[in-house]
Amino acid sequence: PGMAMAAICAYSIRLRMKPLSFLLVTVLLEGGVQGWSQYQPASRRDVFKGAIVAGSTSLVLAPFPSLAAAPPTLQELEKLQKGHARVRYLLDHWDDVTQVCGTVIMSDTERKQVVRTEGGGGTTGCAKTPLRVQEFMGFKSTQDPLYKADKLMVRATPLVDPDDLDGYLEAVEKYKEKADNTALMAYTSSWGEANPNGGKEVIDDYLERTKADVVESEKSLRSVLKYLNLTPLPPLEGKL
């Protein structure tokens, strides 16, 4: 079983298998058919409850250091609150954050095309800054509150009411999916004008997709805070 475990672990990395799926494979591998029959009717909540609470942690936690680690402290959990406040700020000040005005020199053609709000059609205009989204979503610095936030959320699993584990884990999974999408869409938007058949419209299109993913990320992050009994912080003031 040890060699088979290593093979499954390597294969799961190649397939980018979700931890929850890998957890089920591990139970099947180690427990055989009899072990699987015990877990088959169970929900993800039951599997985690069995793995974390009922004494089978030595069986399944080795491939997941974030699960094997101690639950986060209150100071660590505050990062989720601060990160959520920053995401809310990003959405509330979207145009201010994702563009810079007054620094772009416009061509004669651009000045005539006032259909776009490029600084009022004068000698200066606005440039989109999609990559700033990554700063608010924890993808630019290890000091960002949301840097590797999904790992922190997984570590916090034991703090969640067992009856709420299903909803909590779904919120964590969805947050990671949408947050990763924001980083990808923001990066794609930043190259929208340089790519073949690109242009400002392409930048705007991908930036709107980025915003949609940020909206979904905020919803999932807010759910995570609720499951962890963490109160969202008041709206941030000033300019970030």
Side-chain angles (χ1 to χ4, degrees), residues 166-182:
D166 246 3
Y168 177 75
L169 294 173
E170 288 177 5
V172 172
E173 288 180 5
K174 187 171 183 180
Y175 168 79
K176 177 171 173 52
E177 175 190 350
K178 295 302 181 180
D180 287 348
N181 282 349
T182 64

Side-chain angles (χ1 to χ4, degrees), residues 220-233:
S220 296
L221 183 51
R222 186 164 13 109
S223 294
V224 168
L225 293 181
K226 182 178 179 180
Y227 283 119
L228 293 173
N229 295 315
L230 297 173
T231 303
L233 300 179

Side-chain angles (χ1 to χ4, degrees), residues 89-106:
Y89 179 94
L90 171 62
L91 290 173
D92 292 340
H93 303 81
W94 183 260
D95 289 339
D96 292 336
V97 172
T98 60
Q99 69 179 7
V100 176
C101 296
T103 60
V104 180
I105 304 299
M106 300 175 64

Side-chain angles (χ1 to χ4, degrees), residues 106 110-114 116-124:
M106 300 175 64
E110 288 176 320
R111 280 198 298 271
K112 294 175 182 178
Q113 293 175 340
V114 292
R116 293 179 57 86
T117 57
E118 302 284 351
T123 58
T124 60

